[in-house]
Amino acid sequence: MTLSVKVGGLKLRNPFILASGILSHGSLLKRAAGAGAGAVVTKSLTLEPREGYPTPALVAFEGGFVNAMGLPNPGCEEYLRTDLPLAKEGKVPVIVSLAGSHEGEFERMAVLAADAGADALELNLSCPHAEKRGLELGQDPAIVRKIVRRVRSCTSLPIWVKLGLCDSLIDSALACQQEGAQAVVAINTLRSMIIDVDARRPTLSNLFGGLSGPALRPVAVRCVFELYEKLSIPIIGSGGVMGWRDAVEFMLAGAAAVQVGSAVAIKGLQIFRELCDGLGAYLKKEGFSSPTNLVGLAHR
Ligand code: DHB
């Protein structure tokens, strides 16, 4: 039984991908690969270094987490010089996540990432609280089209676009497809808030943050299901995968691979082995020869 899949211009040994932002340093991405991840996605990079927001930047609740880190990173060039080579020692594809504020920034970073040896790009058009980047871009199909077109024109690397919950999700995804993106990642965290009843004010320094974890999963599965009906490029599911059943659920909805974030924070890197073992046993028991055979089956 092989768990390998071809998705979005990459060949992966299994369909389980470390989501962006969970482990930042190159050495930790290498460890995720060692623990069994099929691919790893870097923290979203910006052209200039960013310190990120003050603490508290992360709060746990019964449905998962709400976080607003503020896209902390040492800047694209520095990260690519110091962290990318370490990450690549893990010998699985390293997908470089980019968070620009306009198509020119995305183009510059895409060229730098390609020169540095990235295996693919993930355009983060969906951070729900980064001013003038993220969801503000991804919810406008015309802006999405402009950014993907510009990045497509400057690199032959596979382009994945991470989109978030918005009324125009399907139109934005279709714009990605029309402009030559190889995959859409759905979805990012949901804009949300936790209020500290003792302090009587929002817990996060940024007030708003992105909700991740199990509470997000039914929304994300619904989005993947709807996207699958309209798209011909692969969809990578993301949102609250805690175990192999959740991953299978995303695949049945139409995901060709899944990203795992909050589960790594809760269960540690052993989640990747758990997912591979569970998926392998399920495929065998049900008589499937490849994870690919599951993709979209819930649409029958
Ligand atoms: C951050 C970015 C994201 O894309 C997200 O979903 C959550 C948090 C951040 O760095 O603040």
Side-chain angles (χ1 to χ4, degrees):
M1 167 77 64
T2 171
L3 294 183
S4 71
V5 293
K6 283 187 183 153
V7 56
L10 297 178
K11 184 162 192 274
L12 310 183
R13 64 186 175 179
N14 67 62
F16 304 118
I17 302 167
L18 175 74
S20 178
I22 305 303
L23 303 173
S24 295
H25 294 105
S27 57
L28 292 173
L29 296 178
K30 179 181 172 182
R31 268 178 54 195
V40 295
V41 187
T42 69
K43 179 71 189 162
S44 293
L45 305 177
T46 52
L47 215 39
E48 301 300 327
R50 284 173 64 103
E51 283 221 348
Y53 301 140
T55 55
L58 171 75
V59 53
F61 76 112
E62 64 276 20
F65 300 102
V66 178
N67 90 86
M69 313 306 284
L71 298 168
N73 76 98
C76 186
E77 277 195 88
E78 177 65 11
Y79 188 92
L80 294 171
R81 192 176 64 77
T82 58
D83 289 274
L84 184 65
L86 270 174
K88 286 190 63 103
E89 286 177 16
K91 305 267 182 260
V92 301
V94 180
I95 298 138
V96 172
S97 172
L98 303 177
S101 59
H102 55 81
E103 64 273 22
E105 274 189 11
F106 277 103
E107 175 180 21
R108 281 188 62 190
M109 293 194 286
V111 170
L112 291 169
D115 289 347
D119 294 294
L121 303 173
E122 181 177 279
L123 311 183
N124 180 358
L125 303 188
S126 45
C127 176
H129 53 262
E131 246 176 67
K132 301 207 172 65
R133 1 188 140 232
L135 196 56
E136 284 179 42
L137 308 175
Q139 67 190 3
D140 184 336
I143 296 178
V144 172
R145 183 178 296 285
K146 219 160 41 171
I147 292 170
V148 177
R149 180 176 294 176
R150 183 73 86 88
V151 175
R152 181 74 295 154
S153 74
C154 74
T155 179
S156 55
L157 282 181
I159 298 171
W160 297 5
V161 184
K162 189 164 183 175
L163 296 173
L165 189 68
C166 57
D167 290 342
S168 51
L169 175 61
I170 289 178
D171 288 334
S172 286
L174 286 169
C176 295
Q177 175 171 298
Q178 284 157 7
E179 296 303 330
Q182 270 86 348
V184 163
V185 183
I187 56 176
N188 207 317
T189 57
L190 302 183
R191 185 175 171 87
S192 54
M193 175 180 277
I194 302 272
I195 293 175
D196 181 332
V197 299
D198 299 309
R200 289 189 279 279
R201 58 181 190 193
T203 303
L204 295 175
S205 74
N206 186 59
L207 311 185
F208 307 101
L211 184 156
S212 67
L216 176 57
R217 196 177 72 249
V219 180
V221 168
R222 182 272 290 180
C223 290
V224 169
F225 190 96
E226 289 186 343
L227 286 167
Y228 186 78
E229 307 243 298
K230 303 283 184 208
L231 288 192
S232 52
I233 57 174
I235 302 154
I236 295 158
S238 174
V241 168
M242 301 302 293
W244 67 267
R245 288 181 166 277
D246 306 333
V248 169
E249 193 184 0
F250 270 104
M251 290 176 175
L252 297 174
V258 297
Q259 295 193 349
V260 186
S262 295
V264 174
I266 293 168
K267 296 183 161 183
L269 286 171
Q270 70 205 41
I271 180 72
F272 287 106
R273 290 262 173 268
E274 191 187 313
L275 289 168
C276 288
D277 291 349
L279 177 63
Y282 175 81
L283 293 174
K284 193 166 169 208
K285 178 168 142 283
E286 301 294 333
F288 295 104
S289 58
S290 159
T292 305
N293 299 135
L294 298 176
V295 178
L297 281 189
H299 292 257
R300 285 182 302 176

